[in-house]
Amino acid sequence: MNTEDTGELVLPRSRQANERLHAMIPGGAHTYAKGDDQYPEHLAPVISHGHGAHVWDIDGNRYIEYGSGLRSVSLGHAHPRVLEAVRRQLDRGSNFVRPSIVEVEAAERFLATVPTAEMVKFAKNGSDVTTAAVRLARAATGRPRVAICGDHPFYSVDDWFIGTTPMSAGIPEATTELTVAFPYGDLAATEELLTWYQDEVACLILEPASHTEPPPGYLTGLRELADRHGCVLIFDEMITGLRWSEAGAQGLYGVVPDLSTFGKALGNGFAVSALAGRRELMEQGGLRHPGDRVFLLSTTHGAETHSLAAAMAVQTTYVEEGITARLHALGERLATGLRDAAASMGVGDHVVVRGRASNLVFATLDENHQPSQQYRTLFLRRLLAGGVLAPSFVVSSALSDADIDRTVDVVAQACAVYRKALDAADPTPWLAGRPVKPVFRRTA
């Protein structure tokens, strides 16, 4: 690692590249969650390349990487089976004036993997398909309001959701007023909301599971509520898709939504997402129904052959190689090691690892057990110095046992410093700059 005598990581080329990024690209990245404000000051590595579970920055440092591609690269970088499928299509052309046979094959593959869906339409990112699902629900019900689960962090870049966040600049209040929120796991509160806005709510949209498992009977109860109040139930499976089961959370928990959206792990880094659901709804965006047409999804690049080939290869690999089970096994090993390391350093109540084994995140709590961006900064600094790039602890199947053991060792060292900061009741001396910042905030 490129370090000074103090053992601190130094990234002169990355620092210079970050300045160049900010000069040309608003925010210095194309996704806010990848911004350098999410990392300790001057410690935001700019990536050169990746292979498997490792990435290298332009300063020559190698890292064990977690949360790869914001959870999209679940098989590891440059996965040979995916790359082989992509290369086969690149030589045959990637986009035509009419649908390609690859679109037929990709739809068949997807619907075989997610048998709870009857039709599917592909796009390039999650926002496209969640917004399409909302539009379809409004058209099908004739209702204006969208009910989102307020406990889940992100659904779309579009106005119906972003207007509800602190970054609502530029979004008319009238648009935001049409989005209401319900709490996860609370059926009574959700029914109260639906009753208050009787016959106004077009859909309930939520991640079916997140950092906590659904309470017993919750998803079934939500299905019954949606049916009783005549609204569309939408599962946002961007994260749960493939990681919970090959068919997503709906396949694991056995509750069938009206519509669901997939992405992230679906392409292993290639741009592909999917809106899937009941034929009766989906066909309203098609050509074989008698009613008004819904402009569902129409994307020039939505059916690029190489991205669909990647999706097919990913789904086949998951099914044939038991990838979901491997992700869970790796996550369980990692979570146990991390919790033991934190406890051994006396910070088990402050560095908290939570979530399903295939989707681990961590919380950094201060001396009063409150979430702290300062302590997160301290923790990230020590991880980076040890060669671990981990905005989360979301695993990929490319991780080895040695990678996990190394990660646990680095976390133990980070927790030792964390303990010192807690004892001093002040992490400032260990920050070496401004703290990391939350993605959603009103001012820069």
Side-chain angles (χ1 to χ4, degrees), residues 207-226:
E207 296 179 43
S210 185
H211 305 323
T212 58
E213 287 291 293
Y218 172 64
L219 294 178
T220 299
L222 208 61
R223 172 72 276 174
E224 293 170 354
L225 271 181

Side-chain angles (χ1 to χ4, degrees), residues 13 15 19 41 45 48 69 81 84 111 128 150 158 165 184 194 204 241 266 277 351 359 388 404 415 430 438-439:
R13 292 180 180 173
R15 183 173 175 180
E19 289 301 315
E41 193 166 10
S48 164
R81 193 166 184 173
E84 181 184 359
L111 295 173
D128 287 345
D158 293 301
T165 75
Y184 188 78
L194 291 172
L204 300 171
L266 183 60
V351 177
N359 188 53
V388 176
I404 290 177
C415 287
W430 290 275
V439 169

Side-chain angles (χ1 to χ4, degrees), residues 28 39 70 94 167 193 275 280 295 301 344 349 357 367 394:
Y39 292 85
L70 303 181
S94 63
M167 295 176 71
L193 179 79
L275 169 63
E280 176 188 356
F295 194 92
H301 302 290
S344 69
D349 293 333
E367 54 274 7
V394 177

Side-chain angles (χ1 to χ4, degrees), residues 10-24:
V10 290
L11 302 173
R13 292 180 180 173
S14 290
R15 183 173 175 180
Q16 182 184 46
N18 275 311
E19 289 301 315
R20 290 164 60 196
L21 284 165
H22 278 281
M24 296 178 288

Side-chain angles (χ1 to χ4, degrees), residues 2 10-15 45-46 57-61:
N2 182 7
V10 290
L11 302 173
R13 292 180 180 173
S14 290
R15 183 173 175 180
V46 173
D57 67 28
I58 60 174
D59 291 282
N61 303 299

Side-chain angles (χ1 to χ4, degrees), residues 56-76:
W56 286 257
D57 67 28
I58 60 174
D59 291 282
N61 303 299
R62 185 176 79 161
Y63 306 87
I64 303 168
E65 186 197 42
Y66 292 90
S68 315
L70 303 181
R71 295 181 172 88
S72 68
V73 185
S74 62
L75 299 177

Side-chain angles (χ1 to χ4, degrees), residues 78-100:
H79 188 274
R81 193 166 184 173
V82 176
L83 291 186
E84 181 184 359
V86 169
R87 289 190 182 107
R88 280 201 303 268
Q89 291 304 323
L90 289 177
D91 288 336
R92 297 168 59 85
S94 63
N95 211 335
F96 312 105
V97 75
R98 280 281 295 149
S100 73

Side-chain angles (χ1 to χ4, degrees), residues 198-392:
Q198 186 70 38
D199 298 330
E200 292 184 35
V201 176
C203 61
L204 300 171
I205 182 169
L206 74 159
E207 296 179 43
S210 185
H211 305 323
T212 58
E213 287 291 293
Y218 172 64
L219 294 178
T220 299
L222 208 61
R223 172 72 276 174
E224 293 170 354
L225 271 181
D227 291 339
R228 192 184 321 140
H229 287 269
C231 53
V232 175
L233 181 61
I234 304 170
F235 282 177
D236 178 348
E237 298 247 34
M238 288 297 143
I239 292 173
T240 53
L242 295 168
R243 285 190 178 274
W244 262 242
S245 80
E246 290 87 357
Q250 60 194 281
L252 180 64
Y253 301 122
V255 175
V256 182
D258 298 302
L259 300 170
S260 56
T261 58
F262 288 74
K264 291 193 182 291
L266 183 60
N268 201 55
F270 287 92
V272 60
S273 61
L275 169 63
R278 292 195 292 115
R279 182 178 301 277
E280 176 188 356
L281 286 172
M282 294 288 288
E283 190 61 84
Q284 292 187 38
L287 297 175
R288 298 183 176 182
H289 74 100
D292 291 343
R293 294 182 67 193
V294 178
F295 194 92
L296 187 58
L297 279 166
S298 185
T299 58
T300 298
H301 302 290
E304 284 177 329
T305 58
H306 59 273
S307 291
L308 295 183
M312 286 189 282
V314 167
Q315 291 169 97
T316 300
T317 301
Y318 263 79
V319 172
E320 292 184 357
E321 298 184 15
I323 296 297
T324 302
R326 174 165 173 77
L327 293 174
H328 278 76
L330 288 167
E332 290 285 3
R333 178 185 175 96
L334 178 64
T336 298
L338 297 176
R339 289 169 182 147
D340 289 348
S344 69
M345 295 298 169
V347 298
D349 293 333
H350 298 273
V351 177
V352 181
V353 178
R354 56 173 66 128
R356 192 169 181 83
S358 60
N359 188 53
L360 295 172
V361 297
F362 62 86
T364 50
L365 310 182
D366 64 15
E367 54 274 7
N368 298 315
H369 296 93
Q370 296 301 307
S372 169
Q373 294 296 101
Q374 288 186 307
Y375 279 96
R376 180 176 174 84
T377 307
L378 177 156
F379 191 62
L380 290 175
R381 286 192 73 87
R382 302 319 308 164
L383 295 187
L384 287 163
V388 176
L389 182 59
S392 69

